[in-house]
Amino acid sequence: MKEIFNKVVKTYNFMAMKNLILTAICIFTNICSFAQFSGGTGTISDPYLIGDFNDWYEMIEQGSNNYVQPTNPVHYRLVSDINIEPYRIQFTHPYFNGVVHGGGHTLFLPDSIDVDILQQFPSQIFPIFGYLAGGYVDSIKTVGNLSYMFVFAGSVGVSTSPVGGEIYGYVNEANVSLSGEYAPEINSIIALSNEYNGRIVNCTNYGNIIVQSDVDNEYYENGWFECMGMVQYNMGEIIGCKNYGDIVGFFGAGGICSVNNGTIRRCINYGDIIAPADVVPFSAYPCGGIYALSDPYDNNPPSITEECINYGFIDAGKLYNGGGIVGGGSPAFLQDEPDNIIYHNYNEERIIRCANYGRVAGGGFVGGIVGYIYSISNVSSCFNAG
């Protein structure tokens, strides 16, 4: 009987110790998981709390290697302003599909970034997010006086997938002034590409963007590079956005975006759009108050620009084409309209209920609404007072 009792006691002690160890492991795991952030569990009702750059870094690194639309995305909320440390951002998981609520907090961007770090990123542009693939971000502000080009998201949505993304209520107050050997060819504030299922809504840029390169070559003979205000290439929706910053670059400059193959609605440009180049490497790259040009290739759907306004001065340079709303586009057949509204047009575009109040200048074709576009256009109910 005593031997049986001792076996029972040993068995009980073993099971108790096993349960204690398992409990300790669970507690340690939860503590480690919790310690990644300043609080929260990542649910919609209890988001992970982002309180410093360590939290921000963990959030970025929790991205995905695949562009998938999550059924239960991870939720995050900023609870303080954050100083961004670019040398720690690696984007080992470039596709971000979480939900981030900024709460109006600010990301302080460094004034400069080491060239070796910039060269790790495509086009030498530092991205805050890699690809918003199913991701959603709102109510974040960026500030700084920068000697490098940054972009809030490399891409909103994914071009080869139905997976979308959205940026809502983002505000940029960072000024960018680039010169020298490492000035990139492509410059934008919100996204390099807004894909077919991407949405950029109620975003605002106050920052001035001035880009000049010291490199002379057959395409950029005077050193000025392509420059635009908020988005480089739009195939999705841009709605209710405003640009107050002055955009000074080489060609393809626009207050809202450079190339539009999607929809732009209720957007306003207040900034001056200036292309000081005297040499024309590509005559199809004009300047426009809302966007520079459209691209009709690969059976793209019609570009739609509706209820947009320009107040800024559009200076397309000595040899470029400029328009108060749209600068230019790509070829098809010729159609003439009154000179003060549109000069030439090919390819399918719809410009509806837009108005220009700014002065438009250029050595090429200029117009209060449209400069020179190769497209089949529907320009209706537009007004020019520039």
Side-chain angles (χ1 to χ4, degrees), residues 83-86 107-114 118 126 143-150 173-178:
N83 290 305
I84 295 296
E85 303 173 21
L107 303 181
F108 293 98
L109 304 178
D111 290 344
S112 61
I113 297 179
D114 187 89
L118 275 179
F126 171 65
V143 301
N145 291 295
L146 315 183
S147 60
Y148 61 93
M149 195 65 222
F150 82 101
E173 294 182 359
N175 297 302
V176 177
S177 180
L178 300 182

Side-chain angles (χ1 to χ4, degrees), residues 53-313:
F53 182 76
N54 291 326
D55 294 340
W56 180 272
Y57 179 83
E58 289 294 335
M59 178 185 73
I60 295 295
E61 288 298 293
Q62 280 194 357
S64 171
N65 286 321
N66 300 306
Y67 42 85
V68 294
Q69 193 87 41
T71 55
N72 294 300
V74 179
H75 290 255
Y76 308 86
R77 179 176 294 278
L78 271 66
V79 292
S80 67
D81 299 340
I82 296 174
N83 290 305
I84 295 296
E85 303 173 21
Y87 62 89
R88 290 183 54 189
I89 299 290
Q90 299 175 359
F91 292 102
T92 55
H93 302 88
Y95 296 101
F96 186 83
N97 52 26
V99 175
V100 182
H101 299 293
H105 287 289
T106 298
L107 303 181
F108 293 98
L109 304 178
D111 290 344
S112 61
I113 297 179
D114 187 89
V115 170
D116 293 335
I117 296 176
L118 275 179
Q119 288 179 327
Q120 298 174 15
F121 300 107
S123 302
Q124 299 176 16
I125 297 173
F126 171 65
I128 307 300
F129 289 91
Y131 300 88
L132 285 182
Y136 172 89
V137 182
D138 70 29
S139 307
I140 291 178
K141 180 169 70 175
T142 50
V143 301
N145 291 295
L146 315 183
S147 60
Y148 61 93
M149 195 65 222
F150 82 101
V151 65
F152 193 67
S155 174
V156 181
V158 180
S159 61
T160 58
S161 163
V163 172
E166 182 170 341
I167 299 174
Y168 184 94
Y170 164 63
V171 176
N172 174 63
E173 294 182 359
N175 297 302
V176 177
S177 180
L178 300 182
S179 63
E181 181 181 356
Y182 294 102
E185 300 176 22
I186 299 170
N187 309 281
S188 58
I189 292 295
I190 297 182
L192 297 180
S193 178
N194 185 38
E195 298 294 340
Y196 294 104
N197 291 314
R199 283 170 51 87
I200 297 173
V201 182
N202 292 351
C203 296
T204 306
N205 174 53
Y206 293 97
N208 298 320
I209 307 174
I210 302 174
V211 182
Q212 185 181 25
S213 174
D214 295 338
V215 178
D216 291 336
N217 59 50
E218 60 178 319
Y219 297 116
Y220 309 110
E221 295 185 27
N222 68 347
W224 290 93
F225 273 36
E226 182 177 1
C227 182
M228 66 289 303
M230 300 175 77
V231 178
Q232 180 213 355
Y233 201 98
N234 176 54
M235 291 171 285
E237 291 183 299
I238 302 177
I239 300 173
C241 294
K242 298 177 181 179
N243 174 61
Y244 292 87
D246 294 338
I247 312 299
V248 182
F250 184 18
F251 56 80
I256 301 300
C257 73
S258 181
V259 180
N260 179 40
N261 275 346
T263 298
I264 302 177
R265 284 193 173 98
R266 298 188 299 280
C267 292
I268 304 175
N269 174 61
Y270 295 94
D272 294 341
I273 311 299
I274 300 173
D278 298 333
V279 179
V280 182
F282 302 108
S283 61
Y285 283 82
C287 293
I290 300 300
Y291 67 92
L293 70 155
S294 64
D295 181 359
Y297 301 114
D298 298 325
N299 297 316
N300 288 320
S303 63
I304 298 173
T305 307
E306 189 173 12
E307 298 177 358
C308 294
I309 303 174
N310 173 63
Y311 292 99
F313 170 43

